[in-house]
Amino acid sequence: ARAPAAVRRASSAARPARLSRSMVVRASAEKFDTGYEQKFGNAWILHGGLAVWSAVVCTPIVPLVNYQGEPLGIAFMHSIFRLMDQFPTGPKIDDPFWLQLIIWHFGLFTVLTLGTIGVQGKKQNYW
């Protein structure tokens, strides 16, 4: 009921070799740059900062970022959609879109900078 030895050898030769975890890790370390954190910083800071800032600017109860009765994030998205409707024509210089763009990005970069300072301070035992 067993297959002949030649058939068994042929079927095992057709199967790909099984890779161990250490072989995969070694191969990926050779292929990809592993100095991501040194170049760009901690990816959790970027994702966490973006999530926190987006939540803050889209919450209507935060009076600091209210823009004409609606949250800054919602007003900014409405401006983007309005400008997409008139696509070939760009925004005028006095369009509220520019102020919203500057405030939104300034706040985002402030949150990212403070997050980086906090993580690096914790890493270096400042607090």
Side-chain angles (χ1 to χ4, degrees):
R2 286 188 59 175
V7 173
R8 281 195 311 252
R9 270 187 259 123
S11 66
S12 66
R15 235 180 299 149
R18 202 163 154 82
L19 297 175
S20 69
R21 180 173 170 77
S22 62
M23 290 170 62
V24 172
V25 169
R26 213 172 324 119
S28 66
E30 291 170 2
K31 187 173 182 180
F32 298 108
D33 183 15
T34 56
Y36 178 84
E37 279 202 23
Q38 288 180 338
K39 289 181 183 176
F40 304 109
N42 191 343
W44 286 104
I45 297 171
L46 174 66
H47 297 122
L50 181 61
V52 166
W53 179 244
S54 296
V56 167
V57 297
C58 289
T59 305
I61 59 172
V62 180
L64 177 65
V65 293
N66 276 357
Y67 185 79
Q68 294 180 352
E70 61 183 356
L72 172 66
I74 305 298
F76 185 41
M77 287 298 121
H78 286 162
S79 291
I80 290 171
F81 294 144
R82 178 181 49 80
L83 291 171
M84 286 173 67
D85 283 342
Q86 60 185 34
F87 166 62
T89 308
K92 293 184 170 79
I93 194 72
D94 61 344
D95 196 321
F97 166 78
W98 295 113
L99 181 62
Q100 295 164 358
L101 177 95
I102 290 169
I103 293 172
W104 196 91
H105 282 89
F106 180 77
L108 174 66
F109 295 142
T110 302
V111 168
L112 293 176
T113 302
L114 293 175
T116 303
I117 290 170
V119 168
Q120 292 300 321
K122 182 74 172 165
K123 230 185 244 185
Q124 297 172 12
N125 292 328
Y126 281 116
W127 44 78

